[in-house]
Amino acid sequence: MADQFDVIEAGQHHRRRRWTGIAVLAALLAIPVAGLLAGRAPEPEPGIPGYGTRPSAAPMTTTKAAPNVLFVTPRTKGGDEVIRVVFPDGTPAEVRYPARLGLAALGSRPFQGAWVDGQYRRMSAPYGGAAEVSKGGKPLRNLTPDVELWPRQPGSGSYGQVLLFAFGDWRLALYDRPEGLTFEQRMAAAGHIRGRVTKGGYLVLAATDPVRLARPGETVQGDPVGPQLWFGGVAGDVVGLILVPGCEAAPPAPMMIDRRGRPSRTACRGGVQIAASGSPAFVERAVKEIRITLK
């Protein structure tokens, strides 16, 4: 094989030198022209904005962390604050609490359990939005224009890969198990879970077969998985409001709130379970003084 290439080179040696010289001259002339063109080029597009935009095909390494949280302005009644909320199933409610509790200032996020072709998975809004899921990396693939599949997050314990949904300004993560849903089940989740944003900014979810959203009061291994609103971030004081029809006693706090290693308590009031975690004084006020009226 080496001999045939040697013959070709030997037969075209003088022409090869001439064309090489021409190529070098062309390259030298192209350098200043490229510089002029670069000078006229438009400014590069900025990286993916965080909260408030639809996910882009640009590298997620430019994603900026931004709160994936809804902050509303409360009304005041005497020494209390009042906010209107909407649970992920569309149930509206009015929440009243002592102003010093500062619930509105903590911001709220939705939580919703779901079954995909009979497999239970939890969905929640990561506090840091897309950046909290991306960890500076890139998605494995786009399942639909509004749903991305992301690798397993470091330190995620028993959870596997993540489906990240974009619903308006909201980013909602469906956390898979290590064994993972099948490709068909992931496509079913991506195509059969729908979300709309209310005028007040709350996310309301719906699903069609083979996906079913958990109903108010449903549990998995004793943990409530129905429509919920969480107030607060990954650290500090947290309150969960959970729709539990007929809730009378004080059931255990949900795993996602109780496992934080801080004091936690629950109470039931008006068909809603109140679960609080954080400083002892905050927890005490939350379970005793939050009042909820379902509309």
Side-chain angles (χ1 to χ4, degrees), residues 69-74 81 83 97 99 101-108 127 231-232:
V69 181
L70 177 63
F71 295 97
V72 298
T73 302
E81 290 182 346
I83 56 175
Y97 55 90
L101 201 61
L103 206 59
L106 293 176
S108 68
Y127 191 89
F231 292 79

Side-chain angles (χ1 to χ4, degrees), residues 94-117:
E94 186 175 88
V95 182
R96 182 168 180 166
Y97 55 90
R100 64 182 182 275
L101 201 61
L103 206 59
L106 293 176
S108 68
R109 297 176 288 150
F111 172 94
Q112 176 69 62
W115 280 266
V116 182
D117 195 24

Side-chain angles (χ1 to χ4, degrees), residues 88-90 110 112 123 167 172 193-196 203-207 213:
D89 68 338
Q112 176 69 62
M123 296 189 297
F167 298 123
L172 196 70
I193 297 175
R194 294 286 181 265
R196 65 177 178 86
L203 178 61
V204 175
L205 299 170
L213 301 182

